[in-house]
Amino acid sequence: MGNKSGILLTGFVIGIVSLLLTKFGNPPNMGVCIACFLRDTVGGLGLHKAKLVQYIRPEVLGIVLGAFGVSLGTKEFRATGGSNRIIRFILGFFMMIGMLIFLGCPLRVALRLGAGDLNALVGFAGLFAGVGAGTFFLKSGFSLGKASAQPKWTGFILPALSFIVLALLIIRPSFIYFSLNGPGSMHAPVLLSLAAGLIIGILAQRSRFCMAGGIRDLILFRNINLILGFLVIILVTLAGSFAMGNFKLGFTAQPIAHTEALWNFLGLGLAGWSAALLGGCPLRHLVLTGQGNTDSSITVLGLLAGAAAAHNFALAASAKGVPEYGKYAVITGLVIVLAVSLTAYFKTATVEGRETHASN
Amino acid sequence: MQVIDARGLSCPEPVLLTKKIIDLHTHALFKVLVDEMAACENIAALAKNLGWSVSHDKTGDHIEITLQK
């Protein structure tokens, strides 16, 4: 549920940092977007060939490394994992497909809302419905099972990989791709982006910040702590957009967005549902990856694979709208997430068996 | 004493399991085992909100939370 002051601070800093990054070169309404930036990074590594969205984003790498550093310091770093890895991979994959149909992660929903993009309101409704569906199954006993302690070095794998990818950005070997046009070509200076990522990683690790968790906790426990972070980001972005003269209320001609309401709703519905079953939004999984959770590492690999597929097979939306195959992919994802939810739902009795044991 | 083993479960399952016991009204004292500080904080927050007293003890690689009303 997070601690309230930590959440407020994290939300405030994410809002400010996002405005700053946009001012110094990141794409509009995209100061920090986990989905977009993982997708760009996948493109930067040449794992998809969409020329407009290829750039290794230091923000997402910084988040993992920031969480890694702080969790080592607070001794919270623990290598754990081993619960239902393939299902996590698949849910991560479709979480990314859903987000790339909407064009943004839950964090970007707040950034887009703050800047007046009403398509994000439709997206938020979808996200709420999706997290609500996932929460229903969680309440009914859905579980991806128990993680257990893993050899310590396995927790270092993704933080080390993040460091290597960051090094590739700085060394710029010939096999790394850099967009010359489009969102991928728009970026703040590397050091600023990296610093932003590190700060967000540190704060989000300490406060347990999570966008999907905010909606889930509100539904489950009537607890508003986490969703306050969401609200703070919207308010900071709103104030910043007004101050910088970027505020534009409406549905049409919004930056890096489309107006297909049904698909904005279903895309984030799919993402929210997956996030609820996975125990967190993409940002939270980057943070957990940094603190040694290898189940979250698998989820992040699923997100990366989803991003590669979305652009290799022309599933991802663009400002022009949602391609036909993207719509099929969302429907497929919803069917799969429902199937995953139902298998656990009908196994509730077994789940009940493992949840308690009595002594004395 | 009732002991809930919520070790290794991901968010928010440890809290949900705790809430289930609280809602049953059958125990005035029980323990929950978790292995992450985040889960411990969440359980403490929920239980305190519902008027339970909460204490926790870190033993080895897990945290033992005692809830009492």
Side-chain angles (χ1 to χ4, degrees), chain A residues 33-343:
Chain A
C33 168
I34 311 302
C36 318
F37 286 4
L38 287 176
R39 181 265 327 268
D40 292 352
T41 303
V42 166
L45 293 170
L47 299 172
H48 71 65
K49 299 286 192 264
K51 284 193 161 59
L52 300 180
V53 284
Q54 294 176 314
Y55 176 66
I56 293 172
R57 295 276 181 189
E59 290 89 346
V60 280
L61 305 169
I63 290 171
V64 175
L65 293 172
F68 175 66
V70 75
S71 65
L72 280 179
T74 58
K75 301 206 178 343
E76 262 194 273
F77 182 92
R78 271 183 75 236
T80 57
S83 95
N84 249 317
R85 290 186 176 117
I86 186 68
I87 299 288
R88 288 180 192 274
F89 183 87
I90 293 169
L91 290 175
F93 182 96
F94 282 106
M95 177 154 67
M96 182 58 99
I97 299 285
M99 293 187 294
L100 292 180
I101 292 295
F102 166 74
L103 292 174
C105 68
L107 203 71
R108 186 162 188 249
V109 171
L111 299 178
R112 283 174 59 174
L113 270 176
D117 178 353
L118 294 176
N119 300 298
L121 203 57
V122 180
F124 181 79
L127 183 69
F128 199 98
V131 173
T135 304
F136 168 80
F137 286 103
L138 280 172
K139 226 176 161 176
S140 309
F142 178 89
S143 175
L144 285 173
K146 288 196 170 199
S148 52
Q150 301 291 321
K152 196 166 187 182
W153 63 270
T154 58
F156 290 144
I157 296 175
L158 250 70
L161 200 61
S162 304
F163 189 78
I164 291 168
V165 174
L166 188 63
L168 290 178
L169 172 68
I170 293 160
I171 301 165
R172 299 172 81 103
S174 59
F175 57 83
I176 295 303
Y177 293 78
F178 293 90
S179 290
L180 298 173
N181 306 299
S185 67
M186 306 168 79
H187 55 83
V190 172
L191 278 181
L192 183 66
S193 296
L194 178 63
L198 289 170
I199 292 169
I200 293 173
I202 291 168
L203 288 174
Q205 198 283 333
R206 294 311 301 146
S207 66
R208 330 300 188 198
F209 195 88
C210 178
M211 305 291 280
I215 298 171
R216 179 200 63 210
D217 286 355
L218 184 69
I219 297 172
L220 269 182
F221 310 116
R222 305 275 175 262
N223 181 294
I224 59 160
N225 281 4
L226 279 178
I227 207 157
L228 280 177
F230 206 107
L231 288 176
V232 171
I233 297 177
I234 296 176
L235 290 177
V236 172
T237 313
L238 187 70
S241 303
F242 267 113
M244 291 154 77
N246 297 332
F247 185 82
K248 193 173 75 178
L249 190 69
F251 286 96
T252 51
Q254 294 289 354
I256 315 167
H258 62 79
T259 55
E260 296 188 37
L262 175 66
W263 298 101
N264 279 331
F265 183 90
L266 291 178
L268 276 195
L270 173 59
W273 194 340
S274 310
L277 300 183
L278 285 164
C281 69
L283 170 63
R284 181 78 183 136
H285 284 293
L286 288 183
V287 167
L288 289 173
T289 294
Q291 61 183 79
N293 185 326
T294 62
D295 286 335
S296 285
S297 302
I298 296 289
T299 307
V300 171
L301 293 179
L303 288 167
L304 297 174
H311 285 278
N312 272 330
F313 308 130
L315 311 176
S318 67
K320 290 181 201 139
V322 182
E324 189 183 349
Y325 290 122
K327 296 174 183 174
Y328 296 148
V330 171
I331 302 293
T332 308
L334 285 169
V335 170
I336 288 175
V337 174
L338 176 66
V340 168
S341 303
L342 285 175
T343 50

Side-chain angles (χ1 to χ4, degrees), chain B residues 13-68:
Chain B
E13 291 175 51
V15 196
L16 274 173
L17 293 177
T18 308
K19 188 160 184 286
K20 220 172 241 181
I21 301 291
I22 289 179
D23 290 346
L24 283 173
H25 300 294
T26 48
H27 296 83
L29 175 69
F30 67 101
K31 285 185 186 218
V32 187
L33 309 181
V34 296
D35 51 10
E36 278 198 23
M37 211 46 214
C40 173
E41 292 162 9
N42 289 346
I43 288 173
L46 171 92
K48 280 179 188 162
N49 265 344
L50 296 171
W52 288 63
S53 62
V54 186
S55 62
H56 72 266
D57 203 10
K58 202 164 176 352
T59 45
D61 63 347
H62 68 270
I63 306 158
E64 194 175 292
I65 311 167
T66 308
L67 298 102
Q68 194 166 11

